[in-house]
Amino acid sequence: MMQSTGNTYTYISYSIARCNKIISNIDEFDNGLLPSIQSINKEELQSIDYTLLRKICHFTEILELTDTQKMPHYLCEYAHELAYLFNDNYTNTRCIEYNKDNEIISINCSRVIIYMFVNKSLKTIFKLLSLSPVDTL
């Protein structure tokens, strides 16, 4: 049986699928909203968001390290750490608030931008490793 937690393909792929679902929910709520989201508002963020942002900022360093040392395990470790921080963030915060009728009532656009960076970073790593993520939950 495949593990859905830990440093596994399934766990990281599930994180990509979760990001995709969040982004598609927002797009369904207000078609055209995503292109208008352009900047992060620090007033919308918590310390857990900054932890995730700091990890995202290390992406280019990991790419350079992987390239210079010719060791792809750096990408795998980074992908796992990023997926873990994303899932922790998702569990402890919300970027979409729903009412009792399951309708979207508010969106934390700054968190959405962070999740979009996570999604793009993980998809890039999968592409570099010649892996195909599961795109939907």
Side-chain angles (χ1 to χ4, degrees):
M1 181 170 175
M2 293 180 73
Q3 289 185 303
S4 60
T5 60
N7 193 359
T8 64
Y9 163 85
T10 306
Y11 178 72
I12 298 167
S13 190
Y14 177 79
S15 301
I16 293 170
R18 180 177 264 178
C19 282
N20 289 339
K21 182 67 176 164
I22 292 166
I23 293 165
S24 72
N25 284 348
I26 292 167
D27 201 33
E28 287 173 18
F29 166 70
D30 183 12
N31 197 14
L33 175 67
L34 288 178
S36 68
I37 300 174
Q38 296 181 6
S39 63
I40 293 176
N41 177 354
K42 66 181 182 178
E43 306 298 322
E44 294 181 326
L45 302 180
Q46 300 172 13
S47 63
I48 195 168
D49 298 311
Y50 288 105
T51 302
L52 186 53
L53 272 172
R54 279 190 292 277
K55 180 55 77 176
I56 292 166
C57 289
H58 290 288
F59 185 54
T60 55
E61 291 173 30
I62 296 301
L63 289 175
E64 289 172 9
L65 182 65
T66 300
D67 182 49
T68 58
Q69 295 195 9
K70 307 297 185 228
M71 295 187 170
H73 74 280
Y74 292 120
L75 285 175
C76 299
E77 290 171 2
Y78 177 82
H80 171 254
E81 292 167 5
L82 185 61
Y84 175 82
L85 289 173
F86 162 71
N87 285 302
D88 186 48
N89 185 288
Y90 178 82
T91 300
N92 292 295
T93 64
R94 288 289 174 251
C95 67
I96 304 173
E97 296 291 331
Y98 296 90
N99 65 15
K100 63 182 179 194
D101 297 323
N102 206 30
E103 297 169 333
I104 296 175
I105 56 173
S106 71
I107 298 172
N108 181 318
C109 293
S110 297
R111 198 165 285 132
V112 171
I113 292 171
I114 294 170
Y115 289 178
M116 291 170 77
F117 278 120
V118 168
N119 197 26
K120 184 69 171 171
S121 298
L122 291 176
K123 284 182 175 181
T124 299
I125 290 170
F126 268 53
K127 186 174 182 176
L128 290 170
L129 296 173
S130 297
L131 298 172
S132 299
V134 176
D135 287 325
T136 59
L137 298 175

